[in-house]
Amino acid sequence: MREKIVAGNWKMNKNRTEAKALVSELLKEFKHKPAPGVTVVVAPPMPFTGEVVDQTAGTSVQVGAQNCHQSESGAYTGEVAAEMLKSIGVQYVILGHSERRTYYGETDAFVAAKIDRALEHDLVPIYCCGELLEERKAGRHFEVIEAQLKAALYHLHPTEMAKVVIAYEPVWAIGTGETATPEQAQEVHAFIRQKIADQYGRELAEGCAILYGGSCKPSNAQSLFLQPDVDGGLIGGASLKAADFAAIAHSF
Ligand code: PEP
């Protein structure tokens, strides 16, 4: 059976005290009601990552980063290397998020190199792909997603690809309150899995976790997670409230 994952992307939210409190609340939620068979990941803002690793040590909650640089090390002011993340106990890294593509000009080539660095340092990349509203309206979403998969992933060796988690995040649904319908999500997830199967074979594709992201919340998580090719969620806004995030993790 495929891994089920619920990952929270806190983005640039919470100060140190609030971050600690959110993790404490989350740990209480999961202690009170565990989510067996679900991998729960939180990706706090970079300055608190180490503290969150310490706070969650020995619990079922894993820690991710929201980004890493595509180079091993060097003169890149303000950046963070995959090796640094690994050295403090981070396990996942979100790469290719549409906000990074839009605001920081990250291209698929950049993201491909970031995925390489992450894998070299044994971090699990959560690779985000998804179409813009105008691309969806023009019926180009499959073409756009296929191009994103090809550019960022198809250079990977099968042993590397087997470690990658994919997040389908239609850009028009991120932070907008507008969610893809379960049918829309399933259609794209099945398409992504088919593309991975074409490239790497059916067995690898069947093992690949494909998450949905875009205004996922307690009220819609279950209908999304019921879809056969939806293996969990990458959660933005709703990951900032412990009760909501825990409810999503309990929605399988
Ligand atoms: C995201 O940014 O990855 C995301 C899914 O955000 P939201 O849940 O707020 O739409």
Side-chain angles (χ1 to χ4, degrees):
M1 209 169 62
R2 271 195 297 276
E3 188 179 13
K4 295 177 170 64
I5 304 174
V6 171
N9 174 11
W10 296 5
K11 310 193 186 186
M12 198 173 75
N13 292 296
K14 306 286 178 191
N15 62 28
R16 184 183 181 189
T17 310
E18 292 164 344
K20 265 194 167 163
L22 177 53
V23 175
S24 298
E25 284 173 46
L26 260 184
L27 295 178
K28 262 191 233 152
E29 292 277 351
F30 288 116
K31 197 169 176 191
H32 171 66
K33 189 177 173 196
V38 182
T39 302
V40 176
V41 181
V42 292
M46 209 61 93
F48 315 130
T49 310
E51 282 183 334
V52 175
V53 168
D54 293 344
Q55 221 182 331
T56 55
T59 75
S60 58
V61 175
Q62 320 238 13
V63 181
Q66 298 176 20
N67 185 31
C68 73
H69 196 262
Q70 64 273 23
S71 298
E72 192 54 34
S73 64
Y76 300 102
T77 301
E79 290 290 340
V80 175
E83 187 185 12
M84 297 172 185
L85 296 172
K86 188 65 190 178
S87 74
I88 61 165
V90 168
Q91 286 148 302
Y92 292 80
V93 58
I94 299 167
L95 295 173
H97 193 283
S98 62
E99 287 154 14
R100 302 242 17 124
R101 294 178 192 260
T102 303
Y103 304 136
Y104 306 102
E106 287 193 6
T107 61
D108 282 323
F110 257 58
V111 178
K114 285 171 184 248
I115 290 173
D116 292 344
R117 293 296 85 67
L119 288 166
E120 275 165 27
H121 293 288
D122 204 21
L123 293 169
V124 176
I126 301 178
Y127 173 61
C128 304
C129 58
E131 78 284 0
L132 303 169
L133 182 60
E134 53 268 34
E135 292 166 337
R136 162 73 58 169
K137 280 186 174 162
R140 293 186 51 233
H141 44 294
F142 292 123
E143 174 196 328
V144 168
I145 292 160
E146 185 171 7
Q148 290 172 335
L149 296 174
K150 184 175 177 196
L153 300 179
Y154 289 0
H155 67 287
L156 297 175
H157 187 274
T159 55
E160 296 173 318
M161 184 59 214
K163 297 175 186 161
V164 174
V165 172
I166 297 175
Y168 167 56
E169 297 211 309
V171 181
W172 47 270
I174 295 180
T176 59
E178 190 164 337
T179 317
T181 64
E183 294 72 27
Q184 283 172 324
Q186 170 57 25
E187 187 182 34
V188 175
H189 282 229
F191 173 79
I192 292 173
R193 199 175 306 288
Q194 184 57 52
K195 290 294 143 194
I196 300 299
D198 293 346
Q199 198 64 22
Y200 290 100
R202 179 49 60 183
E203 195 181 333
L204 192 150
E206 286 301 327
C208 181
I210 307 176
L211 315 183
Y212 169 79
S215 300
C216 183
K217 42 190 182 255
S219 59
N220 60 26
Q222 192 175 34
S223 57
L224 288 159
F225 297 172
L226 272 172
Q227 301 304 311
D229 287 292
V230 178
D231 305 311
L234 179 55
I235 318 298
S239 71
L240 298 172
K241 283 193 189 147
D244 286 357
F245 188 58
I248 293 171
H250 291 125
S251 295
F252 288 96

